[in-house]
Amino acid sequence: MRKITPQEFTGTKAWQALEIDLIENASIRLHWTDAPYKWHVNDGSEVFVVLDGKVDMHVRQAGEVSVIPLQVGDIFHAEDGDEHVAHPQGAVRVLVIETAGSV
């Protein structure tokens, strides 16, 4: 899992890209919520972009829970097998790109 802060990425030439992931059969959805999701384990890659508001992403690795704070523009990338749950801080809008049919 990783957090990507776009403002921290600078290329060495124009239009240089940061590869995040390749997802076949991806769904791209805009979500609105003001309540936590549920703990889940990814069954494929997920790219989670905060568009409006703040989210505390709770992640569990080796039985330990930690919190990754996400603000507008931050990108959270989870891979197959990663366990996490999003906790919005008030109402938020997020863009989620993941394998179609994922939890």
Side-chain angles (χ1 to χ4, degrees), residues 54-69:
K54 295 180 183 179
V55 175
D56 284 341
M57 186 65 72
H58 296 237
V59 301
R60 185 176 294 140
Q61 294 176 300
E64 296 291 322
V65 175
S66 59
V67 177
I68 301 171

Side-chain angles (χ1 to χ4, degrees), residues 1-6 8-9 17-23 42 45-50 57 59 61 66-70 73-80 82-84:
M1 289 181 268
R2 63 183 168 154
K3 171 187 171 182
I4 300 161
T5 304
E8 294 176 1
F9 173 69
L18 173 66
E19 292 291 334
I20 296 173
D21 205 343
L22 298 174
I23 302 175
N42 272 43
S45 293
E46 173 185 343
V47 177
F48 182 101
V49 184
V50 179
M57 186 65 72
V59 301
Q61 294 176 300
S66 59
V67 177
I68 301 171
L70 302 171
D74 284 342
I75 301 166
F76 175 78
H77 175 225
E79 297 179 281
D80 189 26
D82 288 343
E83 187 175 11
H84 61 285

